[in-house]
Amino acid sequence: RKWGQAFTCNSVTYLQQIPQDPVYQSTSGYYFGSCGTSPTTPTNYVIFAAVENTNDPDLANLPLIPSGCPSAPAGQNYRVVNP
């Protein structure tokens, strides 16, 4: 989907307009990396993003990055990791 368009799936509209990230207007604003024991079938993933409010409590106690997964790119201080 593109910024500014509605997010619709199976004729159900979930968002009237997909919001545009205020800081990363010309880039994606996030980074996805996969890893695991098999190079052809990754078993883990990590998604990094930049949280602009450095006082956000979600920045405390972030999950550990799985072994072999990429580290956070510069400026990206938040992450979501699968097992």
Side-chain angles (χ1 to χ4, degrees):
R1 309 274 182 232
K2 293 184 179 181
W3 306 121
Q5 294 181 350
F7 177 70
T8 304
C9 182
N10 295 330
S11 300
V12 176
T13 299
Y14 292 93
L15 284 171
Q16 291 295 327
Q17 183 178 16
I18 297 175
Q20 185 168 353
D21 189 312
V23 172
Y24 297 101
Q25 294 188 22
S26 61
T27 65
S28 62
Y30 70 91
Y31 174 79
F32 170 84
S34 59
C35 52
T37 55
S38 169
T40 57
T41 309
T43 55
N44 296 319
Y45 67 83
V46 61
I47 301 171
F48 297 101
V51 174
E52 297 166 19
N53 178 0
T54 56
N55 294 317
D56 192 314
D58 286 336
L59 293 176
N61 301 316
L62 293 174
L64 295 175
I65 298 171
S67 177
C69 279
S71 58
Q76 299 193 348
N77 57 358
Y78 183 76
R79 64 182 168 262
V80 176
V81 177
N82 82 317

